[in-house]
Amino acid sequence: MAFYDGIVLWCVHTILTLKTLLFTWLFRTWKPVETQYRKVAYSRCCNDSKLLQKIPIHLGLVIAENQISYVDIANLVVWCMAVGISYISVYDTRGILKKSHSSLSSEIEKKRDDVLGHEKEKFTYQLHHTLTTSKTDQITESKKKSHILLLSAQDGRPDIVQAAKGYCQQVYEQLTKSNAVDVGLIDSLLQATSGFPDPDLLIRFGTTSSLLGYLPWQIRLTEILSIPTHWSIDYKSFMNVLHNYAGTQQRFGK
């Protein structure tokens, strides 16, 4: 009996896997080509942002897909800049984006030219890809600056472990008390997102239901929405997510 149950479970798992792969392939293949390459003007982004009741200060992007499109991630980042999002974090478990941060930066520069045009001089950005570059500097009044943080699995639970070790060391050295733990103390000990506020909105790309270890401490109050894939993502889909977020009421446990 157990043998047949195993066969049934294997068949169900195989069918679901094939369904997921087929859905992702259809989503990528059937999206109109003109939508993928259509330029989005900064004026449109600016006008659309004025229609939003609220805009996230920190938007997180979780890439839960095996293949990563630098062009499409660059599109998302520049759209975020254009609508006024100051902090953007991009997460992939294997740290591919961290290793190839120069390639992503090159694509972002291209998209800045396409989307912002003559207005691009009013926008600057800082790409953070290591712990030594994660601290943000002060945003100037003359220019709109966005901070882009590249994250991997090492910036999630392992960072919490290091924070716990740091706290224990402080107690051992009598720099703090053993009952002094609070949210502010933990935040100060975490290194991966130093200088970044907690994410207001998180977009998960992929068909998995998991966040794959994205910043478990920092997403206590984060609104989480999903899109099947980031490949060939269009501006309309991006704005739909922002409109959904703008319409949510966060009660913070009340």
Side-chain angles (χ1 to χ4, degrees):
M1 187 67 179
F3 173 78
Y4 291 107
D5 289 342
I7 292 295
V8 171
L9 289 174
W10 180 84
C11 291
V12 171
H13 180 269
T14 302
I15 292 172
L16 291 176
T17 301
L18 291 175
K19 179 182 177 181
T20 298
L21 293 174
L22 179 61
F23 179 81
T24 303
W25 179 81
L26 290 174
F27 192 91
R28 293 181 184 179
T29 306
W30 287 6
K31 182 177 284 290
V33 175
E34 66 272 13
T35 300
Q36 181 179 357
Y37 295 103
R38 184 185 301 158
K39 291 184 179 181
V40 178
Y42 167 68
S43 58
R44 180 182 177 185
C45 297
C46 189
N47 291 333
D48 289 345
S49 67
K50 295 176 181 178
L51 300 176
L52 299 172
Q53 296 179 1
K54 59 180 179 179
I55 296 175
I57 298 174
H58 178 181
L59 173 63
L61 306 173
V62 173
I63 311 301
E65 300 178 87
N66 291 328
Q67 301 297 322
I68 296 178
S69 170
Y70 291 85
V71 173
D72 292 303
I73 291 177
N75 266 331
L76 288 164
V77 167
V78 174
W79 293 337
C80 286
M81 296 169 60
V83 299
I85 298 174
S86 300
Y87 298 90
I88 307 126
S89 58
V90 189
Y91 176 88
D92 72 284
T93 55
R94 295 170 291 173
I96 294 175
L97 292 171
K98 277 188 174 184
K99 298 173 185 176
S100 305
H101 60 87
S102 58
S103 298
L104 178 59
S105 180
S106 176
E107 291 297 337
I108 291 174
E109 283 298 323
K110 295 177 184 177
K111 295 304 176 183
R112 283 180 73 226
D113 291 337
D114 290 344
V115 176
L116 303 178
H118 298 297
E119 301 290 332
K120 76 172 186 176
E121 298 303 325
K122 297 180 180 180
F123 294 82
T124 62
Y125 72 93
Q126 185 176 357
L127 189 64
H128 309 268
H129 56 88
T130 65
L131 291 179
T132 56
T133 62
S134 62
K135 293 186 177 181
T136 60
D137 51 17
Q138 188 174 4
I139 299 177
T140 59
E141 294 182 0
S142 60
K143 291 187 177 182
K144 300 177 181 179
K145 185 165 187 175
S146 295
H147 293 275
I148 306 160
L149 178 61
L150 304 182
L151 298 166
S152 67
Q154 292 300 314
D155 301 310
R157 293 179 181 176
D159 194 32
I160 297 177
V161 172
Q162 291 301 317
K165 290 181 178 179
Y167 170 70
C168 292
Q169 185 65 30
Q170 289 185 11
V171 173
Y172 176 76
E173 296 175 358
Q174 298 184 348
L175 298 176
T176 188
K177 297 181 179 179
S178 59
N179 60 351
V181 180
D182 57 21
V183 173
L185 176 63
I186 300 300
D187 287 341
S188 67
L189 292 172
L190 293 173
Q191 296 296 314
T193 55
S194 177
F196 273 67
D198 292 344
D200 304 291
L201 172 62
L202 183 65
I203 304 177
R204 175 181 56 207
F205 294 98
T207 54
T208 180
S209 298
S210 172
L211 296 180
L212 304 177
Y214 173 90
L215 303 180
W217 173 262
Q218 291 90 337
I219 58 172
R220 305 181 302 278
L221 302 175
T222 303
E223 189 73 22
I224 303 172
L225 299 172
S226 297
I227 295 179
T229 181
H230 73 290
W231 283 82
S232 302
I233 182 74
D234 57 21
Y235 175 75
K236 182 179 179 181
S237 299
F238 170 73
M239 286 304 303
N240 284 341
V241 172
L242 293 187
H243 278 287
N244 288 338
Y245 166 76
T248 60
Q249 292 184 354
Q250 294 175 290
R251 302 183 184 276
F252 305 106
K254 297 180 181 179

